[in-house]
Amino acid sequence: MESLTPRQRGLVAAILLAGVLLRVHLVLSLVDHPFFQEPLGDAGAYDRWAREIAEVDFWGKKAFWLDPLYPYALALLYKVAGHRLLVARFVQVAVGAAGSLLLFETGRRLAGFRVGLVALALSVACKTLAFHDACPLKEGLAVALGEAAFFALVTAEDRRFRLLLAGFAIGLCGLLRGNYLIFLPCAAAWTRSWRRALWVLAGGVCAVLPVTIRNTVVEDFVPTTYLLGANLYVGNNPDNTTGRYKPPPFLLRGTAVYEEKGFREEAERRLGRPLRPSEIDRYWRGEAVRYVLAHPLTFAETCAKRLLLLVNRYDLADEYDVYFFEAFSPVLAWLLPVGLLFPFACLGLALGWRRFPLLTVFAASYGASVLPFFMFARYRLPAFPAVFFFAALGLVEAERLARGKPGRELLRATLVLATSFAVVHAPIEAWLDVGHFDTATSHMNYANALLRRGDPTGAARAFEEAMRIRPAMAERASVLYGAGVAQGRSGNLPRAELLLRAAAAREPKDPYPWLDLGLLLLGQGDAKRAAAAFAAGLERAPEERRAHLLLGRALAADHRAEEALRVWREAGARFADAPEFPSACMKLLAGLPGREAEAQAAAREVLRREPRNLEARGLAEPTEGREHDGR
């Protein structure tokens, strides 16, 4: 392979530097955003797990539920640099730049300098990849490792270490996203020699085997994770035919923290016995397969939706939505969208699939591995090394054909490009049941984050924007409740009361809209209506201590002291060790004429439950207190 000229090296260096500066600017523009300071969803789970690995227990005591490589890489970084999320993102930017350089070298060696350079430029300018390089998620690392694997394979020839390294990189990708392992035997077969294939397979085994041994030692034989069955069931069950993620009804919330617990408990409930991780995985795989066999046409239809989502121009988000973040980092709006990238990748694939079987098989195998599950935009990112290469090939070939004489080859290329563009830009969200293509969920998550950070005004605006973007959100009790709390804390009391009453109507068994409504009314001085709201909350949650306490306060404020005392006394009997109820009685009785003896009795009860309560001690022992004061 010919070495690069100084001019060529300068071009490569300039494009790489532009990519690094672009990503650094992106990271810095988003550094103060709540989603980046408090990672949410999978990112939050990885961050918490990494801190636990670094600070508490390196090995852990349970088989892995989530893919372990990214949390362990984060833990190593936290151990060296401390828990600095900004440093972690800059490291991801550096790793992404190294991966882009390897992509350039792979493209140059396979198809020439121009294709390699265009592939490099596409990877630098790609909106989706740039955004995920700046996000606390594993997909950027998966892209870089994939690029390293392709470089090692393309340059290996008969060099055993390169073949071993290629297999090892693929194995590491499998520890980031388990379905990547389907490419390991394909890469081994591509070498066309059983000796070379064994070195590739050995590299993959070297990456995965330590995880398998660790899982077996600490809990159970699990090759990598026991998430496969659960994910398969999420995509293939009677409640989800959208092709997207939709948590089953038995899950409290669709996040990593609740998924592991929810799938374990539901499997054990159905089978009536405790289960090992491998049994949990096997159970949910069986449930998904039974559903598919019972509904083959529905499965085929859902897989077709996933295929359309896989190649669609819209980046479906779970927690981190690139379109939502454009408002906070305008540079994102100027980057290359996948809607322009994918059609040229299809053209390059149509023109070069015979010449470049390795990347063709990878693109096909990875795409096929995603189809049985469900689709998010970041799930297609690990395939982007092949996408960049084929898009670069398509652009270079399109330019060549455009410069030549019109003919059949140009006509075929034009048809492929036009068809691909039509498929990629098809408005499937209007034609099929594939969920919403909007940023409403991101606005809702942002509103909740602002509430936690003490910015109710910003939270109220974000909730209102979520309901404006997707009016159906105004039918969800959780959204109405959050919006009501935000409006109340920001001072818009009439709107807050309207939203909280709507939330209570949507979810009749939920006590919290009533309790927050009561607090709002009590703050306005409307003790009578506040007491009614607290009573409604208490009726729905008799075990909620706060409801008893608040109801008594509202009754006392409404000059219904005897009713308040009755509520608190009944609560004190129900919660035998809670000091707040006799304490509330004590304070109310102390202010009522002729009730000194009852106040002292209440004070003695407080001291029984909370011996260090000085206020109760002074009221329970008034004589001693006066003598002490006289001294």
Side-chain angles (χ1 to χ4, degrees), residues 66 121 134 137 156 181 219 247 262-263 291 362 432 463 577:
L66 296 175
L137 292 166
L181 291 174
E219 187 174 20
F263 276 105
Y291 173 79
F362 168 69
L432 303 171
F463 275 121
D577 295 324

Side-chain angles (χ1 to χ4, degrees), residues 290-570:
R290 277 189 284 275
Y291 173 79
V292 169
L293 293 177
H295 305 87
L297 294 179
T298 302
F299 174 70
E301 179 186 341
T302 308
C303 282
K305 291 179 181 179
R306 295 182 192 120
L307 179 60
L308 291 172
L309 290 170
L310 180 67
V311 300
N312 194 261
R313 91 282 180 195
Y314 194 84
D315 275 325
L316 286 175
D318 41 2
E319 288 91 15
Y320 290 85
D321 189 330
V322 64
Y323 307 110
F324 170 76
F325 278 98
E326 285 180 0
F328 302 91
S329 185
V331 69
L332 282 169
W334 295 93
L335 295 180
L336 180 69
V338 293
L340 294 178
L341 185 67
F342 284 174
F344 283 99
C346 292
L347 175 61
L349 184 61
L351 296 174
W353 67 274
R354 293 178 185 272
R355 292 161 52 199
F356 308 106
L358 175 66
L359 289 162
T360 301
V361 169
F362 168 69
S365 62
Y366 184 81
S369 73
V370 173
L371 292 183
F373 298 93
F374 49 87
M375 190 56 58
F376 281 130
R378 62 188 178 96
Y379 290 1
R380 60 192 184 186
L381 260 173
F384 271 36
V387 172
F388 292 138
F389 173 81
F390 282 119
L393 181 66
L395 282 164
V396 170
E397 288 295 307
E399 186 202 18
R400 179 184 64 81
L401 293 172
R403 287 177 178 272
K405 294 181 179 180
R408 291 184 179 179
E409 192 177 9
L410 177 60
L411 178 60
R412 283 196 297 269
T414 303
L415 288 174
V416 168
L417 194 60
T419 303
S420 302
F421 194 88
V423 171
V424 168
H425 288 266
I428 58 174
E429 69 276 18
W431 300 343
L432 303 171
D433 177 21
V434 291
H436 300 278
F437 284 17
D438 59 37
T439 60
T441 300
S442 292
H443 278 88
M444 182 189 70
N445 290 335
Y446 181 51
N448 286 319
L450 290 175
L451 263 183
R452 290 193 298 271
R453 296 183 71 179
D455 182 5
T457 303
R461 285 197 299 265
F463 275 121
E464 295 294 336
E465 181 66 8
M467 291 186 283
R468 184 195 67 77
I469 293 170
R470 192 190 306 171
M473 276 211 163
E475 302 297 317
R476 291 171 56 178
S478 60
V479 177
L480 292 167
Y481 172 65
V485 171
Q487 293 285 3
R489 293 180 186 175
S490 61
N492 190 350
L493 303 181
R495 177 67 173 162
E497 181 175 354
L498 179 69
L499 290 166
L500 289 171
R501 288 191 180 279
R506 295 288 189 284
E507 195 62 56
K509 295 182 180 180
D510 188 357
Y512 296 106
W514 289 110
L515 296 182
D516 278 279
L517 176 60
L519 285 170
L520 180 67
L521 294 169
L522 194 59
Q524 290 179 276
D526 193 344
K528 188 178 187 64
R529 293 172 66 209
F534 290 138
L538 180 60
E539 181 183 353
R540 288 156 176 77
E543 297 303 316
E544 178 66 52
R545 293 186 186 186
R546 190 169 66 113
H548 295 269
L549 197 62
L550 291 173
L551 175 57
R553 287 178 183 171
L555 291 169
D558 196 33
H559 309 293
R560 289 185 278 172
E562 295 304 322
E563 292 181 58
L565 290 169
R566 178 179 55 78
V567 167
W568 285 333
R569 283 167 177 163
E570 290 176 356

Side-chain angles (χ1 to χ4, degrees), residues 55-230:
E55 300 169 6
V56 181
D57 187 356
F58 180 83
W59 293 109
K61 297 179 176 60
K62 296 168 62 178
F64 291 137
W65 169 258
L66 296 175
D67 297 304
L69 181 59
Y70 187 68
Y72 271 86
L74 274 182
L76 178 61
L77 187 61
Y78 291 169
K79 200 75 174 176
V80 173
H83 184 239
R84 294 189 174 96
L85 297 177
L86 184 61
V87 173
R89 288 173 188 128
F90 284 146
V91 170
Q92 286 188 188
V93 169
V95 170
S100 294
L101 182 59
L102 293 176
L103 172 67
F104 161 73
E105 282 295 335
T106 302
R108 182 172 78 97
R109 290 164 190 269
L110 286 175
F113 174 79
R114 291 186 68 202
V115 170
L117 190 69
V118 174
L120 173 64
L122 292 176
S123 70
V124 162
C126 177
K127 177 191 295 190
T128 306
L129 181 58
F131 178 65
H132 281 86
D133 277 345
C135 284
L137 292 166
K138 61 187 179 180
E139 277 67 30
L141 181 57
V143 173
L145 280 174
E147 289 161 342
F150 287 121
F151 176 76
L153 283 168
V154 167
T155 60
E157 297 177 353
D158 285 325
R159 285 177 282 189
R160 295 173 180 175
F161 180 73
R162 287 283 179 92
L163 293 166
L164 189 72
L165 193 62
F168 189 75
I170 295 171
L172 290 180
C173 286
L175 298 179
L176 287 168
R177 189 156 293 289
N179 54 320
Y180 212 110
L181 291 174
I182 196 173
F183 180 58
L184 185 62
C186 300
W190 175 82
T191 62
R192 299 177 182 173
S193 163
W194 69 269
R195 292 181 186 275
R196 292 195 290 266
L198 284 178
W199 281 104
V200 173
L201 293 173
V205 170
C206 286
V208 173
L209 187 59
V211 173
T212 307
I213 293 173
R214 178 260 175 210
N215 284 341
T216 304
V217 169
V218 300
E219 187 174 20
D220 190 18
F221 176 74
V222 175
T224 56
T225 71
Y226 64 104
L227 181 60
L228 172 65

